[in-house]
Amino acid sequence: GDASRLDSPPSNAVSSRLALSDCTLSITMSGIQAEIAEVFNLFKDISEPQGSLTLRDVRNAIRALGSEMTNEDVREMVTNLGKDPDSDTIDEQEFTKAMTELLERRDGTEMHAKAFQLIDEGATGSITVQDLKRMALTMGEIIDDATLQEMLMSADLDSDGMLNMEEFCRVMAKSTMK
């Protein structure tokens, strides 16, 4: 397949409309922020020095937020904050920034998987032009077959005429980053 086709989908509006179908499944930013603040506050009081988190506290806080990261990934995340994972601690602002990015990635992937399942009506593991047409009509959009075919082909990396989960998630991630 040709990955460059993903750089310019035929219509970001169409991709965005499809993303709307699962908006109710996503956590709002304020919900994410509140969850992060609650976990930070839980761990900051037991950490030394109080008010910030050590590398070990960060890893435990990530678990409390429902995610798993290897020690190496946590060290890399702390390093990306400009901190020394062996001696520095993380304050609430730094923790919030890192955790927001982590949770948005996690929730985005889950949201895309749920959207894929909604669109793949026959649970075949692939999305066809017919699936896209049905979803568009469900959302009140009338999109001609040629446009739907063009949209599918722009994301169809293995050129099988359908979108598998990986191809779908890749195009959805690109459309939500804009």
Side-chain angles (χ1 to χ4, degrees):
D2 180 8
S4 66
R5 289 184 291 174
L6 284 177
D7 292 335
S8 56
S11 168
N12 281 333
V14 173
S15 297
S16 297
R17 281 188 221 118
L18 292 175
L20 291 176
S21 67
D22 59 334
C23 280
T24 58
L25 302 174
S26 67
I27 297 174
T28 64
M29 277 307 293
S30 62
I32 290 172
Q33 300 291 337
E35 186 179 1
I36 292 168
E38 185 178 327
V39 169
F40 182 86
N41 288 329
L42 177 71
F43 283 93
K44 76 173 177 148
D45 294 333
I46 58 173
S47 187
E48 289 297 327
Q50 285 194 349
S52 59
L53 304 183
T54 63
L55 185 70
R56 182 179 184 172
D57 297 325
V58 170
R59 179 137 192 240
N60 289 331
I62 290 168
R63 280 195 191 118
L65 288 166
S67 290
E68 280 293 324
M69 286 181 82
T70 64
N71 281 333
E72 185 178 307
D73 288 341
V74 175
R75 291 178 70 79
E76 181 181 330
M77 183 182 73
V78 170
T79 302
N80 289 342
L81 290 170
K83 297 287 191 153
D84 177 353
D86 294 317
S87 60
D88 290 339
T89 59
I90 306 302
D91 67 24
E92 186 170 7
Q93 184 177 2
E94 294 160 333
F95 181 75
T96 300
K97 178 181 187 290
M99 292 303 97
T100 300
E101 291 170 7
L102 174 71
L103 293 178
E104 284 175 342
R105 269 196 313 276
R106 180 194 74 187
D107 294 339
T109 301
E110 289 174 9
M111 191 172 71
H112 296 155
K114 288 176 183 173
F116 181 89
Q117 292 168 350
L118 285 173
I119 298 170
D120 178 21
E121 185 175 46
T124 62
S126 298
I127 293 175
T128 63
V129 169
Q130 291 75 25
D131 290 326
L132 292 177
K133 185 176 190 91
R134 181 188 46 75
M135 182 55 68
L137 289 171
T138 299
M139 295 169 58
E141 300 291 334
I142 299 172
I143 304 171
D144 64 86
D145 288 357
T147 301
L148 291 170
Q149 183 67 41
E150 181 184 341
M151 185 178 108
L152 188 138
M153 286 174 28
S154 73
D156 181 17
L157 297 178
D158 60 11
S159 302
D160 65 354
M162 300 177 280
L163 296 183
N164 60 37
M165 176 79 79
E166 181 183 341
E167 292 165 333
F168 178 79
C169 288
R170 184 173 290 154
V171 77
M172 292 306 292
K174 280 186 151 305
S175 73
T176 56
M177 286 192 308
K178 295 187 180 226

